[in-house]
Amino acid sequence: ITTTKTLLFDELEVFFVYSEAVNLYDQAQYNESITYLHQALALEKTYKNKNIQLSAYVLLGKNHLQLAQYQQTSNYFLKADSLSIATLTVLPDLNEGYTYLANKAKEEGKFDEKLYYLNKIINNNSLLDKQYKQLSNKVYKEYDNKKLLFSIQESEKSLAEQHKIQHYVEWIASIIIGISILLISFVSYKNQQLRRKTRASMPLLN
């Protein structure tokens, strides 16, 4: 990094800092990698390199995942998704984030969110195929579209079943409420009749 400054190529510093973060991640030095990534993001504000920002968000998510810091993992993968949409930029590593978010949504029973992230992976594969012919071959091996489509169909089925169950529960609840109203009305009617009979019999008791 110091050599870069000496050569007056300050604009390259962000790349060197990010590269060091990648090396540290590969060496399983996750906390150190996170430190360098925050430095890279601070430099990115000066040089406005959105590719570095996007890559840093993804790698921050991966670092926090390795440290079992799941809230930060989700936050950075979501930031990466938002930036990808805003800049119309895709990266192969984004699919790792989408896979994590899809699995998380499945565990939480949020099948609509799971479908969203699975579709993002398929869209990424399609865009990467156009932009990076050789690189996309590796992506397809890791994220096979046939498997993804099958998973999407399963998610759609689960979502439909979830809606069906919800509708059934609402229907049962309506019946229970209706029966309850009828019972209350019947009891109230019987009580009124009893009170009338009691009042009618009182003069005879005298």
Side-chain angles (χ1 to χ4, degrees), residues 1 4 8 13 42 70 77 102 105 114 125-126 131 134 142 144 151 162 171 181 193 202:
I1 295 170
T4 306
L8 300 178
E13 184 176 8
Y70 302 118
F77 284 152
K114 180 188 174 185
N125 286 350
S126 177
Q131 295 178 16
Q134 294 180 347
E142 294 179 359
D144 186 88
S151 184
Q162 190 179 57
W171 180 71
I181 291 172
Q193 280 191 326
M202 284 179 69

Side-chain angles (χ1 to χ4, degrees), residues 173-194:
S174 298
I175 292 175
I176 292 172
I177 291 171
I179 292 173
S180 299
I181 291 172
L182 288 173
L183 285 173
I184 292 170
S185 299
F186 178 76
V187 171
S188 177
Y189 173 74
K190 284 294 184 182
N191 286 337
Q192 286 179 1
Q193 280 191 326
L194 182 61

Side-chain angles (χ1 to χ4, degrees), residues 87-106:
T87 59
L88 301 177
T89 304
V90 295
L91 296 173
D93 285 351
L94 272 171
N95 285 348
E96 294 184 51
Y98 292 138
T99 301
Y100 171 83
L101 293 171
N103 289 332
K104 181 173 179 289
K106 179 182 178 181

Side-chain angles (χ1 to χ4, degrees), residues 2-37:
T2 304
T3 304
T4 306
K5 288 183 176 180
T6 305
L7 294 172
L8 300 178
F9 289 111
D10 290 349
E11 69 276 10
L12 294 178
E13 184 176 8
V14 65
F15 293 101
F16 281 86
V17 173
Y18 175 76
S19 296
E20 184 61 23
V22 173
N23 291 333
L24 289 166
Y25 174 82
D26 291 338
Q27 295 168 20
Q29 298 181 43
Y30 305 118
N31 285 310
E32 292 81 358
S33 177
I34 288 171
T35 299
Y36 272 88
L37 286 168

